[in-house]
């Protein structure tokens, strides 16, 4: 099923995101997480694409297994990093052959230690180019795209960043999934900006429940996501007690999700970090 169709129904769309593990133990643990979340009926599952190396193959394998063996709708992420057009075409063909109908084309981040993204030879410099390339080869996939409520770190001019998002939508992106954020005002302002720019696609907010203080501060720093001071203070007070941190994370994320849905968000995309407890608690409460 193409995920765009999910947004034609009034029920919220709840999706979950995983990354391909590096080890067999990690893979078994991920598939257990998928099984633990399955009873909560996620609308679809997405699997990220690594910055390089062996996990890239795993994205195709895991996204296919989740669809085939776990019976869940699935979406593969794909980035422009390190690939020329022929390689990207071959990956898209393999995804299609595996029955995958949804792809999230991304530019990807500059490699570790580098600050600027360098377009690969005979490759692409922006997600919109990869989206257009996929569409020019046929209407095989429903395409999603990344959106940035606080602006992409390389484009802090919020209006310009949304103009770039508009290009992505014009290139064939039908669903926008946002970067994580901890203050809903950024999302609601982003929705208003996107609508003013003529973007009518569903804008699915991305939520990453806090489960580890140091980890979330690092990730939020990389993405440029602002952590509100009261939340930071609660996190720090709970630090050292895993259960207490989890509870702070679940309470904040659940309140965020309820407010987003009440404010018209079409659903929630959960960044699970391959762990089930926080997402299961939040999704269970939202479904209940
Ligand atoms: P783009 O949309 O191409 O934008 C990149 C930058 O270029 C932005 O600053 C934008 O404003 C600017 N820009 C865009 N078009 C133009 C133009 N025509 N002219 C000038 N400037 C332009 N990374 C991974 O490596 N693997 C993943 O699986 C992954 N999954 C993600 C999932 C989601 C939902 C999100 C939001 C991000 C994900 N990322 C992933 C991170 C992503 O790769 C980075 O945020 C990356 O830096 C930008 O990717 P993009 O596709 O949004 O880029």
């Amino acid at each position: 099923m193409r995920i765009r169709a999910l947004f034609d129904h009034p029920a919220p769309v709840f999706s979950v995101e995983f990354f391909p593990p590096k080890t067999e133990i990690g893979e078994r643990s991920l598939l257990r997480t998928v099984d633990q979340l399955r009873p909560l009926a996620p609308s679809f599952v997405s699997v990220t694409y690594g910055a390089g190396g062996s996990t890239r193959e795993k994205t195709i394998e895991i996204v296919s297994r989740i669809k085939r063996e776990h019976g869940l709708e699935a979406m593969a992420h794909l980035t422009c990093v390190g690939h020329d057009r022929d390689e990207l075409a071959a990956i898209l063909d393999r995804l299609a052959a595996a029955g995958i109908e949804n792809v999230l084309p991304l530019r990807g981040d500059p490699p570790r230690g580098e600050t600027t993204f360098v377009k690969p030879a005979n490759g692409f410099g922006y997600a919109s180019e990869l989206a257009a390339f996929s569409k020019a080869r046929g209407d095989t996939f429903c395409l999603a795209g990344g959106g940035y409520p606080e602006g992409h770190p390389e484009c802090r001019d919020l209006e310009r960043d949304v103009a770039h998002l508009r290009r992505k939508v014009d290139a064939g992106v039908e669903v926008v999934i946002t970067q994580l954020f901890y203050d809903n005002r950024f999302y609601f302002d982003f929705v208003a900006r996107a609508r003013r720019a003529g973007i009518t696609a569903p804008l699915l907010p991305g939520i990453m429940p806090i489960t580890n203080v140091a980890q979330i501060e690092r990730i939020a720093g990389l993405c440029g996501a602002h952590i509100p001071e009261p939340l930071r203070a609660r996190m720090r007070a709970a630090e050292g007690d895993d259960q207490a941190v989890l509870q702070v994370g679940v309470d904040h994320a659940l309140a965020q999700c309820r407010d987003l849905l009440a404010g018209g968000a079409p659903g929630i995309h959960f960044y699970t970090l391959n762990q089930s407890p926080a997402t299961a608690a939040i999704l269970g409460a939202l479904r209940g």
Side-chain angles (χ1 to χ4, degrees):
M1 177 199 239
R2 290 174 164 240
I3 61 163
R4 176 63 186 80
L6 295 167
F7 296 89
D8 292 335
H9 302 283
V13 172
F14 294 123
S15 50
V16 290
E17 179 176 308
F18 300 119
F19 62 85
K22 289 199 173 74
T23 62
E24 284 224 354
I25 295 173
E27 192 168 335
R28 276 200 296 278
S29 150
L30 167 60
L31 295 173
R32 262 198 312 276
T33 299
V34 175
D35 274 337
Q36 282 154 358
L37 292 175
R38 200 162 169 266
L40 291 162
S43 314
F44 70 92
V45 171
S46 84
V47 182
T48 65
Y49 198 68
S54 61
T55 68
R56 292 186 139 190
E57 273 298 313
K58 284 274 170 211
T59 297
I60 306 178
E61 187 188 317
I62 289 172
V63 83
S64 310
R65 281 187 73 176
I66 288 175
K67 172 139 182 160
R68 204 177 51 238
E69 295 170 19
H70 297 258
L72 291 167
E73 195 42 73
M75 175 169 77
H77 299 206
L78 178 62
T79 74
C80 304
V81 176
H83 285 311
D84 65 22
R85 285 162 203 242
D86 295 342
E87 289 165 349
L88 291 165
I91 295 166
L92 290 169
D93 287 344
R94 286 176 61 197
L95 288 169
I100 300 303
E101 293 176 80
N102 303 289
V103 172
L104 174 50
L106 296 140
R107 188 199 68 179
D109 283 321
R112 202 177 289 247
E114 292 174 32
T115 47
T116 43
F117 177 88
V118 179
K119 175 176 165 168
N122 195 30
F124 299 114
Y126 297 112
S128 56
E129 295 171 354
L130 178 54
F133 177 71
S134 172
K135 284 290 172 195
R137 301 180 75 245
D139 188 24
T140 317
F141 303 107
C142 171
L143 301 181
Y148 298 87
E150 296 179 60
H152 183 262
E154 293 164 42
C155 183
R156 285 306 190 185
D157 178 334
L158 300 181
E159 297 293 339
R160 181 142 28 105
D161 200 42
V162 152
H164 295 150
L165 179 60
R166 171 71 200 257
R167 284 190 183 208
K168 220 155 29 179
V169 170
D170 290 346
V173 161
E174 293 176 74
V175 174
V176 174
I177 303 179
T178 81
Q179 186 57 281
L180 59 97
F181 57 90
Y182 291 98
D183 181 339
N184 287 354
R185 284 175 299 183
F186 291 116
Y187 172 80
F188 291 122
D189 289 351
F190 168 71
V191 172
R193 262 192 320 280
R195 299 303 180 226
R196 278 200 305 275
I199 296 169
T200 56
L203 305 170
L204 191 60
I207 295 293
M208 183 181 282
I210 295 160
T211 52
N212 176 307
V213 176
Q215 178 192 48
I216 223 68
E217 289 190 330
R218 186 177 53 81
I219 294 175
L222 287 172
C223 304
H226 170 82
I227 300 178
E229 275 317 313
L231 173 61
R232 195 185 291 278
R234 284 204 300 282
M235 267 166 42
R236 292 258 169 88
E239 205 169 358
D241 177 343
D242 293 351
Q243 203 50 41
V245 171
L246 183 81
Q247 199 55 52
V248 168
V250 167
D251 289 348
H252 183 80
L254 185 55
Q256 257 196 296
C257 293
R258 287 194 165 128
D259 180 55
L260 287 164
L261 295 171
I268 307 286
H269 181 76
F270 290 100
Y271 292 103
T272 69
L273 295 171
N274 291 8
Q275 308 288 318
S276 65
T279 302
I282 298 159
L283 191 46
L286 293 172
R287 287 260 190 238

